[in-house]
Amino acid sequence: MAPDLDYNSIEAFHQKLANSRRILAVCGAGLSAASGLPTFRGAGGLWRNYRATDLATPEAFDRDPGLVWLFYGYRRHMALNAAPNPGHDALAALARTNSNFMCLSQNVDNLHLRANHPRYQLRLLHGSLFDIKCTNTNCTHLERNNTADPFFPAIAAASQDQSPSEPGIIPLLDPSHPLPPITRDDIPRCPACREGLQRPGVVWFGEQLDAAMMADVNNWISREPVDIVLVIGTSSIVYPAAGIAERARTKGTTSVVTVNLEAETPDLLDEMSPGDFYFAGDATELLPRLLEPVIGRI
């Protein structure tokens, strides 16, 4: 279906925003990319010649927990040294301004929270790099907001910044540099059960999202019609997050508003419904402009 002629008009979107009460956002890795965090997708998305999807699984952790912890130790270090960008700030300001706004984020870097996004208006669909849980399925231990860098001594290499003598080279990221040997005994055991290994509190491929959280999200969506769904920095290919925008759509009233760096290809535009918007560009620049009538100038 062909989009409306003003599908990328900021003025037309502002008219829709002025008459909107309930707003939902679904955020992906593209939002945090402007803060310097790699997305691990597409060209150049490898880590030491590994795809993220090869490391972000329970099977990978069971096979080589040291390697997986080095990968997540690096991601924790990068996130701790990153700062929220104006896109995060704009969403946090919208939450503080509109109690009927809910943000669902697939990002695990905690930048939403560091932008002072109200916690009760934020759901971290894939968990957090700074939550630590236990591999023992019979143990419910969960430690939140652990920002130790490194988390344990054996992965100290993951917290190294580039060398002043070798600018641009970080040994951990160079596959020609051998990794430090890390045994299972080097990885901290769960302080609660003393049996399982401690692991990142993120949702890995093959694992289910938190059932209680998803029930809460579905209840919020079904409570009343949603006027606007912002889809930010994501290609909407990872389920179940990919289906949330359509689940929230109320026929004839909901505008799905995509904000993404991807070009406005014919295929993308053909998938739009009347009243939808597509803004191709950097969310850090676009979100403050799109939301300015509500949040003021950032």
Side-chain angles (χ1 to χ4, degrees), residues 10-54:
I10 291 180
E11 291 74 18
F13 172 75
H14 284 169
Q15 292 178 16
K16 172 68 179 183
L17 182 65
N19 296 301
S20 297
R21 188 173 67 90
R22 300 191 84 226
I23 301 175
L24 179 70
V26 183
C27 303
L31 177 61
S32 293
S35 292
L37 298 183
T39 64
F40 296 107
R41 289 188 180 276
L46 299 180
W47 181 84
R48 288 189 63 91
N49 291 333
Y50 291 97
R51 294 177 299 177
T53 52
D54 294 330

Side-chain angles (χ1 to χ4, degrees), residues 69 131-136 139-143 190 196-203 207-208:
W69 255 121
D131 289 350
I132 307 295
K133 60 192 295 187
C134 178
T135 55
N136 179 359
C139 179
T140 59
H141 173 74
L142 177 65
E143 179 186 1
C190 172
L197 298 179
Q198 295 194 76
R199 54 156 281 188
V202 298
V203 179
E207 296 182 328
Q208 299 294 316

Side-chain angles (χ1 to χ4, degrees), residues 247-267:
R247 196 182 318 151
R249 187 191 291 276
T250 302
K251 187 175 181 180
T253 62
T254 306
S255 291
V256 174
V257 182
T258 302
V259 181
N260 205 342
L261 278 172
E262 291 182 1
E264 301 171 14
T265 65
D267 287 345

Side-chain angles (χ1 to χ4, degrees), residues 217-273:
V217 169
N218 289 329
N219 287 338
W220 190 93
I221 289 174
S222 61
R223 191 176 305 145
E224 296 179 60
V226 178
D227 299 303
I228 291 175
V229 182
L230 299 167
V231 181
I232 304 162
T234 176
S235 57
S236 296
I237 61 173
V238 178
Y239 278 81
I244 290 175
E246 289 308 313
R247 196 182 318 151
R249 187 191 291 276
T250 302
K251 187 175 181 180
T253 62
T254 306
S255 291
V256 174
V257 182
T258 302
V259 181
N260 205 342
L261 278 172
E262 291 182 1
E264 301 171 14
T265 65
D267 287 345
L268 286 171
L269 298 182
D270 284 344
E271 294 174 0
M272 294 174 60
S273 297

Side-chain angles (χ1 to χ4, degrees), residues 93-132:
L94 178 61
R96 293 191 296 269
T97 303
N98 182 356
S99 61
N100 289 295
F101 170 58
M102 177 66 72
C103 180
L104 314 179
S105 183
Q106 301 172 78
N107 299 334
V108 295
D109 48 47
N110 275 18
L111 291 182
H112 288 285
L113 292 171
R114 287 170 55 193
N116 296 317
H117 194 118
R119 188 66 179 85
Y120 74 96
Q121 289 172 270
L122 176 68
R123 300 293 181 271
L124 300 178
L125 299 180
H126 294 168
S128 168
L129 291 170
F130 305 102
D131 289 350
I132 307 295

Side-chain angles (χ1 to χ4, degrees), residues 80-92:
L80 286 170
N81 285 279
N85 62 56
H88 296 105
D89 294 335
L91 292 172

Side-chain angles (χ1 to χ4, degrees), residues 152-176:
F152 57 96
I155 61 169
S159 300
Q160 292 179 356
D161 295 314
Q162 71 177 30
S163 168
S165 61
E166 296 180 289
I169 296 177
I170 301 177
L172 179 74
L173 304 184
D174 185 351
S176 68

Side-chain angles (χ1 to χ4, degrees), residues 173-192:
L173 304 184
D174 185 351
S176 68
H177 285 255
L179 290 171
I182 300 175
T183 68
R184 299 180 77 87
D185 290 338
D186 292 322
I187 299 172
R189 295 275 172 180
C190 172

